[in-house]
Amino acid sequence: MNTFSRLFLLILLCLTIGCKSITDSVFSANNIYRVEIATVGLEDASVFKKTFNGVGFIKLSSPIKLEVTNVPFNKKSYKEFLNAKLSQSSHLDIEYIDSLKSKPKYLSVKVTDALNLINQLHESSNEGVRSYLETNQQAGIVTNLSLAYPKTLLEEFQDAEAVFLVQTADAIYQFQLILKNGETKHISFKEGVTMDYEISKACWKQTRQNTYRIVDLIASGNKCASGTYRTPKSIKTEEDYFKF
């Protein structure tokens, strides 16, 4: 095999790896926790893929308000769905034909009441999670998800007056839909297929000496606002610098 042929095969191999959906590795059975809103964990991102390793979850004392939007599938998102469906052993069937004008849809879900989520992070029941975030700058919280659901459930999400994230007595996350007639309905994450996710990371501020508080959650890769820091350790380092 000549040098050109070897180079061609190497490029082909890289492209093949690069075209894999993140769902090939994100949703493996080895993860301790599913990738759900309010899951805490570590993201390992590279040029070709990203993986999320869940390590825990936030215990909710009250519902968290969510924003839910229906998004039409395209070729890329439909491929992500097929890969995620396979890795999650789901029987959900969605038919996508690119030539048809009317496309099936999936859900984009994101936390809109971040302040409520932050306040609950500071409750005593979440001391372990907060300590983990305090000492691990790479850790984050899942705040956005892309999910595929059967059409009937998509319509229920769309028709609901409001959607919240709630937690059962055995610490299982669910969607709580407030229906137009005032009744509520709960929908499990497991009824759908989780296609993609985004995490947010904590920004800290010193409230008094040796006391630090999470004051904001920012998208991974963004910088904390002036006067806030990615870890309390950064605050201490700056204090020590000015003392010196």
Side-chain angles (χ1 to χ4, degrees):
M1 182 181 293
N2 58 36
T3 303
F4 177 79
S5 299
R6 290 176 180 174
L7 180 60
F8 176 78
L9 288 175
L10 179 60
I11 294 173
L12 183 62
L13 177 61
C14 290
L15 289 174
T16 302
I17 296 172
C19 289
K20 283 187 176 182
S21 167
I22 62 165
T23 52
D24 290 345
S25 50
V26 169
F27 307 108
S28 67
N30 294 327
N31 283 352
I32 300 174
Y33 298 101
R34 289 171 57 88
V35 184
E36 298 173 348
I37 298 286
T39 306
V40 177
L42 296 166
E43 182 179 59
D44 182 14
S46 68
V47 175
F48 299 119
K49 65 179 181 179
K50 63 178 180 179
T51 60
F52 180 83
N53 297 310
V55 298
F57 55 86
I58 300 169
K59 294 180 181 178
L60 302 180
S61 58
S62 63
I64 302 294
K65 184 75 164 55
L66 303 173
E67 178 183 298
V68 180
T69 308
N70 282 2
V71 181
F73 275 99
N74 56 29
K75 288 182 179 180
K76 180 179 179 294
S77 57
Y78 187 66
K79 182 179 179 181
E80 290 175 353
F81 162 71
L82 294 177
N83 287 331
K85 173 185 172 180
L86 181 64
S87 65
Q88 294 171 50
S89 301
S90 172
H91 298 291
L92 176 60
D93 287 323
I94 296 176
E95 184 179 8
Y96 173 85
I97 301 175
D98 188 54
S99 59
L100 294 182
K101 186 176 181 180
S102 179
K103 303 290 196 300
K105 297 179 179 180
Y106 63 92
L107 294 180
S108 172
V109 182
K110 66 179 182 179
V111 173
T112 56
D113 193 357
L115 182 59
N116 185 5
L117 186 60
I118 290 171
N119 287 336
Q120 293 191 53
L121 270 169
H122 288 276
E123 294 176 358
S124 58
S125 58
N126 288 309
E127 183 178 353
V129 170
R130 191 171 62 254
S131 296
Y132 181 79
L133 293 172
E134 181 176 346
T135 57
N136 196 325
Q137 186 175 350
Q138 302 306 315
I141 302 167
V142 177
T143 53
N144 296 47
L145 282 182
S146 297
L147 303 116
Y149 274 101
K151 186 177 180 180
T152 53
L153 290 182
L154 282 179
E155 292 172 349
E156 292 190 14
F157 273 101
Q158 189 67 25
D159 293 339
E161 291 287 335
V163 180
F164 294 87
L165 179 73
V166 296
Q167 201 170 33
T168 64
D170 50 355
I172 296 175
Y173 291 130
Q174 291 183 332
F175 292 113
Q176 182 186 66
L177 277 60
I178 309 300
L179 307 179
K180 291 182 178 179
N181 60 8
E183 295 181 358
T184 62
K185 178 172 182 174
H186 293 85
I187 297 177
S188 168
F189 280 84
K190 293 182 181 180
E191 293 184 59
V193 173
T194 306
M195 298 163 44
D196 199 0
Y197 72 94
E198 292 179 19
I199 66 171
S200 294
K201 295 187 176 181
C203 291
W204 298 76
K205 188 173 184 178
Q206 185 173 18
T207 55
R208 55 182 183 271
Q209 189 173 6
N210 297 324
T211 302
Y212 307 91
R213 183 178 177 87
I214 298 172
V215 293
D216 197 7
L217 294 173
I218 59 169
S220 180
N222 289 356
K223 292 184 178 180
C224 291
S226 177
T228 66
Y229 301 83
R230 283 289 297 114
T231 62
K233 183 179 179 180
S234 300
I235 302 175
K236 297 174 186 177
T237 300
E238 184 171 295
E239 286 180 339
D240 292 342
Y241 173 79
F242 282 108
K243 285 179 182 179
F244 178 78

